[in-house]
């Protein structure tokens, strides 16, 4: 039979985390209601991210170029993520690691040149 008392610290930790996260979410709302600072006005409820009201349906489709630029950003961001650990340990790994990374960078540069030639980076 399994001794469930071993799980007590985990359950206590989850309980404390749930209580604290709920307090951080609901306590400021409760305090604002009690102190009278909760006063939604039309100015407070306006759009604040872009500065003007939305003029189209929010479910409209994005242009495919937006997704291409996002994918290219992720690819080159991952290149930087792979490049840093390699740069730290390149002298320990030797010439094979150096040539492997040069091939990797060449392939990424080739992909960037192809995307540039096809106009994936041009934004109209």
């Amino acid at each position: 039979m399994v001794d469930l008392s071993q799980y007590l610290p985990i359950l206590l930790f989850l309980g404390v985390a749930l209580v604290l996260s709920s307090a951080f979410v609901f306590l400021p709302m409760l305090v604002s209601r009690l102190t009278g600072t909760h006063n939604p006005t039309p100015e407070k409820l306006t759009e604040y991210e872009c500065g003007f009201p939305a003029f189209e349906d929010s479910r409209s489709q994005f242009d495919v170029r937006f997704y291409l630029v996002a994918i290219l950003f992720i690819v080159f961001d991952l290149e930087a993520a792979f490049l840093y650990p390699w740069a730290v340990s390149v002298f320990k790994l030797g010439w094979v690691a150096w040539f492997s990374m040069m091939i990797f960078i060449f392939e990424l540069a080739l992909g960037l040149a192809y995307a540039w030639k096809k106009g994936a980076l041009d934004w109209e």
Side-chain angles (χ1 to χ4, degrees), residues 70-111:
I71 289 171
L72 286 173
F73 172 76
I74 290 171
V75 166
F76 288 103
D77 190 42
L78 285 176
E79 174 192 0
F82 284 131
L83 197 59
Y84 181 74
W86 170 81
V88 170
S89 63
V90 68
F91 295 116
K92 295 176 189 170
L93 298 175
W95 286 102
V96 174
W98 190 84
F99 282 119
S100 299
M101 185 55 74
M102 292 305 117
I103 291 170
F104 178 69
I105 290 174
F106 176 73
E107 288 174 352
L108 285 173
L110 194 64

Side-chain angles (χ1 to χ4, degrees), residues 21-65:
S21 61
S22 298
F24 284 134
V25 170
F26 295 115
L27 220 59
M29 290 190 276
L30 180 67
V31 169
S32 71
R33 297 262 181 185
L34 293 176
T35 59
T37 58
H38 178 75
N39 186 14
T41 62
E43 289 83 19
K44 289 182 183 177
L45 298 176
T46 59
E47 294 81 7
Y48 61 91
E49 290 179 352
C50 61
F52 57 88
F55 50 85
E56 290 183 8
D57 185 21
S58 62
R59 294 177 296 242
S60 65
Q61 293 181 347
F62 285 98
D63 193 5
V64 72
R65 288 175 291 189

